Amino acid sequence: MSLTNASPEQAARAAKVSSRKLAALPTAARNAALDAVHDALAGARADILAANSRDVEFAKQSAASGELSLSILKRLDLSRKGKFDDMLQGIRDVRALEDPVGRVDLRTELDDGLILQRQTCPIGVLLIIFEARPEVIANIASLAIKSANAAILKGGKESTESFKIISTIISKALANTDVPNDSIQLVTTRDAVDPLLELSEYIDLVIPRGSNELVRHCQRKAHMPVLGHADGLCSIYIHADADEDMAVNVVVDSKTDYPAACNAVETLLVHENVLKTVLPKVASALISKGVALRCDQASRAALSKHLPQDRALLLHDVSDADFSTEFLDLVLAIRTITPDGNKPTSAVDAAIEHINTHGSHHTDAIITASKEVADRFCNGVDSACKFWNCSTRFCDGMRFGFGTEVGISTNKVHARGPVGLEGLMIHEYRLSGMGQGAAMYGSGGRQYKHKKLPLL
Amino acid sequence: MSLTNASPEQAARAAKVSSRKLAALPTAARNAALDAVHDALAGARADILAANSRDVEFAKQSAASGELSLSILKRLDLSRKGKFDDMLQGIRDVRALEDPVGRVDLRTELDDGLILQRQTCPIGVLLIIFEARPEVIANIASLAIKSANAAILKGGKESTESFKIISTIISKALANTDVPNDSIQLVTTRDAVDPLLELSEYIDLVIPRGSNELVRHCQRKAHMPVLGHADGLCSIYIHADADEDMAVNVVVDSKTDYPAACNAVETLLVHENVLKTVLPKVASALISKGVALRCDQASRAALSKHLPQDRALLLHDVSDADFSTEFLDLVLAIRTITPDGNKPTSAVDAAIEHINTHGSHHTDAIITASKEVADRFCNGVDSACKFWNCSTRFCDGMRFGFGTEVGISTNKVHARGPVGLEGLMIHEYRLSGMGQGAAMYGSGGRQYKHKKLPLL
C-alpha cells in the first residue's frame, strides 16, 4: 500500500499489475493482512480521532459559512457514538467471512472427458472515490484485500487529515504482509478523479461514495462501470389497515435515526382512511423529534383538526418538487393516497405508481397487516429493497449480515442493494478436455451430454 | 410484440411500462408464448429462408464490390447447415430451462421476526442491437420472454428481409398469448441506435450483437451498461509437453470450424522445444485447410526445414500488428515462446503475459499434459474462459448447456463468458418485520442474529 503522489495513470497501471499477484494469494495471507490492519488501527485510535477532529473543525467553519452541508459534516465525524468501533468491527467481520475467491458454482460434463467449471474470481482493479466518511478507507481496504481485488482510493478534501493518518497506518501495517505493495493505491493528487475515470484499460469498476453530485459525475464521465446510487429517495406507504404503533415506530426510525443517510425516508404516503387515526400519531411523534412536515391538502386538513394547535402551526404545504427531493435532513413530504374507484387494489397500486415515478429505486416500505397487500407492493415496486413493516434504515450491508459494505447499488446489473464481498467478484469458466473440437458435434455427429455434476 | 415505426422514445417508454406487467406473468404463460413462437417459426421455414436468401443475395453483391466483409456474409446466411434447426432448438431449449424468476438464493433471520430474503427478478428493459445474424431475433425474443424482460430489438440493414419476416411471424404468434403487446418492440426506424442509447430512463441494458465497430460504438455512446465483447482475439499456447494429435485437433478445429466467429483462434503460441516436432504437424494440417500462416522468425525457420517445399512456400512473415488483430478469416499468427532462464514456469508465464497483453480477455487455451502447468495458465490468464486441451470454439452458450445465449461477455461485472438466462436477471431484497427500527440495535441495544435460514 502506498500513499503516493504518482500520476493517476502510474497508480492505475501499478494497481493492474499487482492485481494479478493479489488474485493468486491464498486465503491465509489475505486474512493475515486484515489482522494487521485491524490491530494497527485499533492501536492508533487516539491519533486518528485527533486528526479527524481537525477535519471536523474545518468542516464546521465551512458549514457555518454555508460552503458545506450539515449532512456532510455529520458523515465526517468519526467520534460519533459507535462509529470508530463499527469501523474496527467491520474489518473483523470481513475477515470472518468465507473466502469469496475460487468458489465453484457450476460443474457440467459437456461430454466424456470435457468438463466445464464456473468459479468466482476477483474483478481486478476497483476505483473507490469518497468524500466525507473517513471510515470508508478501512472498509474498502479490507473488502478489497479479502476479495483479492486491487483498489485505488481517492479521498475527498473534507477528510484529508483523517485520510492521511488512516492510510499511513494501513500502509505500515501491510508492509509486513504478503499483500503486494501496489495493490492498494492511495491517490492524493488534486483533480485526479477525471483522469482516473478514463483509464478503463486498468480500472474495472468505479465505486463512488459520497454526494449525489459525485456519483452523477462518475456515472457521466466514467469509461468503466459505476456501482452505486446517486439518490436515496425512499418512501413509506401506510396502508388503510396499518397498525398504529408499528407505523409510529417505523416512520420515526426511518426518518430520524440518521437523516443524512441514503436509506432515510423522504416521502410518506398515507391511505386516506387513516388520515385522522394513524397519521396524527405518526405526525405528533415526528414533530416531537423536530421533523418538519410538508403536507398535501388532505393530510394538512386532517392534521390541522387532529393535532394540538401548537403542533398544527408547525405544518407546511408540500410542493411537487418535494416529492422528488432527497432532503437528507429532518424534513418529510406527505401525500395522501386516494383509492380510485372500488377496486380493492387501487390504493396500493397508486402508492406503487407514485414510488416508481418519484422514487430512486433504492428502498421502499409498506406498513400493512395484510401479506397479500405487502406482496402486491413488493411485486410492483421497482426497487432494490422492498420492506414490509420495518424501517428503511435496515438497508445496510452490516445489518444484512454482509460484514461491511462497499455501498448500496440501484444498478440493474451486477449487484443491487447493499453490496458486500459478493459484489466484488465476477466469475470465470474453465473447460478441460482431451483434444476435442467443436466440429465433432451437431447433426450427424456427437451430442452434448450437459450432465450436471456435483460441486466439489 | 409490435413491428412499429414508433420513435425510439415511444418504443422505449412502452417497453418500460409493459416490463412491469411481463415481470408478473406466471411461468406457464411465458412458456406458452415460447411454444407459440417456436411453432410459428417452424411452420414458416420456407418463407423465412426465401426472405433470407434475398438478404444473402444483396450482401453478396456488396461483398463483391468490397462494401461488406465476407465474415458478415457468412453470419447472415440462415441456410447454412443446421442453422435454422439450431434456431428452433434454441427456443425449445430455453423453454425447457427452469424459470429464472423469483428464485430465492438467500434467507437470513436478522432478528426475531425480521426476515431478509434475496430473490431473482428481471432486469427490466433490454436493448438488443444486431447486424447480420438473423437468428438472433428468435434467440433474443425467447430469452427475453423466458426471463420476463421487455426487449427492444433493432436489426441491421444487412438482414432487413429476414428481420421483417421473422418479426412479423413472432408478432402474430404472440398476439394470442398473455405476453403484453409492447413488451417486445421491434424498431425499424433508421438511425434509431444513437437516440436509443441515450434513453437510460427506460432502457436498463444494451446487448450489441455484431461487428466490433457496433459494439465499440455502443460502449462509447450508451448511457446504460453494455453487455458483450468488442474483440474475440483468442490464443492457444502449445506447451513443450503437448500431445501431437491433440494439438492438431484442437488448433485445426479452433481455426477452421467457423473462422468468422469470435471464439475462433487468431494467435498460436508455440514452445520452442516443439517447433520441429508438434508445430510442423499442426501447420501442415492448417495449410491443408487453406489457412495462411504468419510466422515469427524462429517458427518460420523451423517450418521451412520441416515442411515439404511446396507448403513452406506458403508461409508468411508475421508483423507486430498481427498479434493484435482479430482476422475472422483463415489466417493465423504464430509466435515462438522462449523460456527465460532456467525457471521451469517461465515459458507458461511468457505465454500468459503475451495473452494478457495482446488478447481480448475472451477465450484462451493451453495444450499440455501437465495439470500443474494448465492450472498455472488458468490462474494467470485474465480471460472469461480458460480452456485446457480443447477447442476455443466450445465457448458458446448452447455448448455450455445454457439453452441459447444473448452473447459472450468480456465484461468484468455482472456476466462474463457465454451469457444465457442468468445474465438477464438481477436480484432484489425483501425484508419483513413487526415494526422494528434500526435505532433499537447497536451498542447497549439489541444485537443482530444474522442466522442463515434454509431456502424455501
Side-chain angles (χ1 to χ4, degrees):
Chain A
M1 181 150 185
S2 46
L3 179 58
T4 66
N5 284 310
S7 77
E9 183 161 7
Q10 288 167 329
R13 198 188 310 118
K16 188 71 172 185
V17 171
S18 286
S19 74
R20 300 303 312 164
K21 290 176 199 157
L22 178 58
L25 278 190
T27 317
R30 283 177 276 125
N31 282 343
L34 290 175
D35 286 336
V37 168
H38 173 275
D39 296 348
L41 290 174
R45 180 192 293 251
D47 290 347
I48 293 170
L49 288 179
N52 180 247
S53 74
R54 292 195 295 276
D55 283 331
V56 170
E57 214 36 59
F58 188 79
K60 273 185 186 158
Q61 293 166 23
S62 304
S65 67
E67 287 166 48
L68 194 78
S69 77
L70 281 175
S71 65
I72 289 187
L73 180 58
K74 286 179 199 162
R75 290 169 190 222
L76 186 58
D77 190 355
L78 257 185
S79 70
R80 275 171 52 98
K81 186 187 160 201
K83 219 170 172 186
F84 199 95
D85 288 331
D86 285 353
M87 175 178 85
L88 292 177
Q89 188 56 43
I91 301 172
R92 285 219 172 284
D93 290 346
V94 169
R95 189 211 183 284
L97 294 170
E98 268 184 82
D99 188 359
V101 181
R103 285 192 201 164
V104 175
D105 61 359
L106 180 89
R107 282 183 77 236
T108 309
E109 185 182 75
L110 303 192
D111 192 6
D112 300 334
L114 189 61
I115 309 295
L116 178 70
Q117 181 163 309
R118 182 172 65 193
Q119 58 190 67
T120 58
C121 59
I123 287 174
V125 178
L126 316 173
L127 167 62
I128 325 284
I129 305 171
F130 50 98
E131 287 177 335
R133 298 178 191 253
E135 77 275 22
V136 168
I137 312 166
N139 286 349
I140 296 293
S142 49
L143 281 167
I145 294 164
K146 184 80 185 188
S147 65
N149 281 290
I152 299 168
L153 309 181
K154 174 74 185 74
K157 68 174 191 313
E158 297 84 3
S159 53
T160 301
E161 295 289 322
S162 319
F163 177 73
K164 273 188 192 163
I165 187 164
I166 296 180
S167 56
T168 304
I169 289 163
I170 295 180
S171 182
K172 279 187 192 157
L174 285 181
N176 298 318
T177 74
D178 290 336
V179 169
N181 198 51
D182 289 333
S183 59
I184 295 189
Q185 294 275 333
L186 306 165
V187 174
T188 54
T189 325
R190 280 166 180 254
D191 307 322
V193 171
D194 284 2
L196 285 167
L197 292 175
E198 293 185 2
L199 296 170
S200 58
E201 191 180 345
Y202 305 122
I203 298 171
D204 298 298
L205 181 66
V206 182
I207 306 177
R209 293 286 303 256
S211 69
N212 308 6
E213 290 69 36
L214 172 70
V215 178
R216 279 206 200 86
H217 181 83
C218 292
Q219 289 171 336
R220 221 167 30 233
K221 295 273 188 175
H223 293 203
M224 64 292 283
V226 178
L227 186 76
H229 66 278
D231 300 295
L233 206 166
C234 306
S235 301
I236 297 176
Y237 167 55
I238 302 180
H239 194 55
D241 62 357
D243 178 83
E244 212 171 86
D245 291 340
M246 208 177 264
V248 170
N249 282 346
V250 170
V251 177
V252 168
D253 187 83
S254 299
K255 183 70 255 183
T256 68
D257 182 49
Y258 191 3
C262 62
N263 57 12
V265 68
E266 308 290 8
T267 296
L268 183 65
L269 304 171
V270 186
H271 193 287
E272 63 171 7
N273 290 6
V274 291
L275 283 182
K276 299 170 187 172
T277 51
V278 178
L279 182 62
K281 299 265 164 51
V282 172
S284 203
L286 288 167
I287 292 171
S288 302
K289 292 272 195 171
V291 179
L293 303 180
R294 302 192 182 174
C295 308
D296 68 352
Q297 226 171 351
S299 63
R300 182 158 190 172
L303 286 177
S304 297
K305 276 192 198 159
H306 292 84
L307 279 186
Q309 183 73 20
D310 59 329
R311 300 211 149 174
L313 283 172
L314 297 171
L315 301 173
H316 308 268
D317 283 334
V318 76
S319 71
D320 276 353
D322 287 330
F323 291 121
S324 304
T325 301
E326 186 183 6
F327 300 112
L328 292 172
D329 212 336
L330 289 172
V331 178
L332 184 68
I334 301 180
R335 180 176 169 181
T336 305
I337 294 294
T338 310
D340 174 24
N342 294 320
K343 217 179 149 199
T345 59
S346 75
V348 66
D349 287 349
I352 291 166
E353 199 189 324
H354 176 98
I355 290 169
N356 286 346
T357 309
H358 295 85
S360 63
H361 312 290
H362 186 296
T363 302
D364 299 287
I366 185 170
I367 303 172
T368 175
S370 155
K371 178 167 183 349
E372 203 184 333
V373 172
D375 282 347
R376 191 174 181 95
F377 179 86
C378 291
N379 290 335
V381 165
D382 188 16
S383 298
C385 300
K386 298 119 178 240
F387 289 2
W388 175 27
N389 291 344
C390 53
S391 170
T392 55
R393 289 277 296 139
F394 286 113
C395 177
D396 173 272
M398 220 178 58
R399 288 167 191 164
F400 275 14
F402 299 166
T404 180
E405 67 177 30
V406 286
I408 293 175
S409 167
T410 54
N411 291 13
K412 284 297 195 78
V413 289
H414 192 65
R416 194 173 178 220
V419 182
L421 273 187
E422 272 184 53
L424 300 182
M425 309 307 293
I426 183 70
H427 56 255
E428 60 181 37
Y429 290 95
R430 296 188 178 195
L431 181 64
S432 66
M434 307 181 304
Q436 294 94 334
M440 299 161 57
Y441 298 82
S443 6
R446 291 187 67 85
Q447 298 303 310
Y448 289 99
K449 294 191 168 175
H450 291 150
K451 184 180 160 196
K452 205 172 167 181
L453 298 179
L455 306 181
L456 292 179
Chain B
M1 181 149 186
S2 46
L3 179 56
T4 66
N5 285 311
S7 77
E9 183 161 5
Q10 287 168 329
R13 198 188 310 117
K16 189 71 173 184
V17 171
S18 286
S19 74
R20 300 301 312 165
K21 291 177 199 158
L22 179 58
L25 278 190
T27 317
R30 285 177 276 126
N31 282 344
L34 290 176
D35 286 336
V37 168
H38 174 275
D39 295 348
L41 289 175
R45 180 192 292 251
D47 290 346
I48 293 170
L49 288 179
N52 179 247
S53 75
R54 292 195 294 277
D55 282 332
V56 171
E57 214 35 62
F58 189 79
K60 274 184 186 160
Q61 293 166 23
S62 304
S65 67
E67 288 164 50
L68 195 79
S69 77
L70 281 174
S71 65
I72 289 187
L73 180 58
K74 285 180 199 162
R75 289 169 191 221
L76 185 58
D77 189 355
L78 256 185
S79 69
R80 272 170 53 97
K81 186 187 161 200
K83 217 169 174 186
F84 199 96
D85 288 330
D86 285 352
M87 175 177 88
L88 292 177
Q89 188 55 42
I91 301 172
R92 284 219 172 285
D93 289 346
V94 169
R95 189 211 184 286
L97 293 170
E98 267 185 83
D99 188 359
V101 181
R103 286 192 201 164
V104 176
D105 61 0
L106 180 89
R107 282 183 76 237
T108 310
E109 187 183 73
L110 302 193
D111 193 5
D112 300 333
L114 189 62
I115 309 295
L116 178 70
Q117 181 163 310
R118 182 172 65 193
Q119 59 190 67
T120 58
C121 59
I123 287 174
V125 178
L126 316 173
L127 168 62
I128 326 283
I129 305 171
F130 49 98
E131 288 177 333
R133 297 177 192 253
E135 76 275 21
V136 168
I137 311 166
N139 286 349
I140 296 292
S142 49
L143 281 167
I145 293 165
K146 184 82 186 186
S147 65
N149 282 290
I152 300 169
L153 310 181
K154 173 75 184 74
K157 68 176 193 311
E158 297 85 3
S159 54
T160 301
E161 295 290 323
S162 320
F163 177 72
K164 274 188 190 160
I165 188 163
I166 296 180
S167 55
T168 305
I169 288 163
I170 295 179
S171 181
K172 280 188 192 157
L174 285 181
N176 298 318
T177 74
D178 290 335
V179 169
N181 199 49
D182 289 333
S183 59
I184 295 189
Q185 295 274 334
L186 306 166
V187 174
T188 54
T189 325
R190 278 166 183 255
D191 306 323
V193 171
D194 283 1
L196 285 167
L197 292 175
E198 292 185 3
L199 296 170
S200 59
E201 191 181 343
Y202 305 121
I203 297 171
D204 299 297
L205 181 66
V206 183
I207 306 177
R209 294 285 304 254
S211 68
N212 308 5
E213 290 69 35
L214 172 71
V215 178
R216 279 205 200 87
H217 181 82
C218 292
Q219 288 169 338
R220 221 166 31 233
K221 294 273 188 176
H223 294 202
M224 64 291 282
V226 178
L227 185 76
H229 67 278
D231 299 296
L233 206 166
C234 306
S235 300
I236 297 176
Y237 167 54
I238 302 180
H239 193 56
D241 62 358
D243 178 84
E244 212 171 87
D245 291 340
M246 209 178 262
V248 171
N249 282 346
V250 169
V251 177
V252 168
D253 187 84
S254 299
K255 183 70 254 182
T256 67
D257 182 48
Y258 191 3
C262 62
N263 57 12
V265 69
E266 308 289 8
T267 296
L268 183 65
L269 305 171
V270 186
H271 192 288
E272 63 170 7
N273 290 6
V274 292
L275 283 181
K276 298 169 186 172
T277 52
V278 178
L279 182 62
K281 297 266 163 51
V282 171
S284 202
L286 288 167
I287 291 172
S288 302
K289 292 273 196 170
V291 179
L293 304 181
R294 302 193 182 174
C295 309
D296 68 351
Q297 226 171 351
S299 63
R300 182 157 190 175
L303 286 176
S304 297
K305 275 190 197 161
H306 293 83
L307 278 185
Q309 181 74 20
D310 58 327
R311 300 211 149 174
L313 283 172
L314 297 171
L315 300 174
H316 308 268
D317 283 335
V318 76
S319 71
D320 276 354
D322 287 330
F323 292 121
S324 304
T325 301
E326 186 183 5
F327 301 111
L328 293 170
D329 212 336
L330 290 173
V331 178
L332 184 68
I334 301 180
R335 180 176 169 182
T336 305
I337 295 293
T338 310
D340 174 25
N342 295 318
K343 218 179 147 198
T345 58
S346 74
V348 67
D349 287 348
I352 291 168
E353 200 190 321
H354 176 98
I355 289 169
N356 286 345
T357 310
H358 295 85
S360 64
H361 312 289
H362 185 296
T363 301
D364 298 287
I366 185 171
I367 303 173
T368 175
S370 155
K371 179 167 185 342
E372 203 186 332
V373 172
D375 282 345
R376 191 173 180 96
F377 179 85
C378 290
N379 290 334
V381 165
D382 188 16
S383 298
C385 301
K386 298 119 177 240
F387 290 2
W388 175 28
N389 291 344
C390 53
S391 169
T392 55
R393 289 277 297 139
F394 286 113
C395 177
D396 172 273
M398 218 176 61
R399 289 168 190 162
F400 275 15
F402 299 166
T404 179
E405 67 176 30
V406 286
I408 294 174
S409 167
T410 54
N411 292 14
K412 283 297 195 80
V413 290
H414 191 65
R416 194 174 179 220
V419 182
L421 273 186
E422 271 183 53
L424 300 182
M425 308 307 293
I426 183 71
H427 56 255
E428 60 181 37
Y429 289 95
R430 298 188 177 194
L431 180 64
S432 67
M434 306 182 305
Q436 294 95 332
M440 301 161 56
Y441 297 83
S443 3
R446 292 186 66 85
Q447 298 304 311
Y448 290 98
K449 295 191 166 174
H450 291 151
K451 184 181 161 194
K452 204 172 167 180
L453 298 179
L455 306 181
L456 293 177

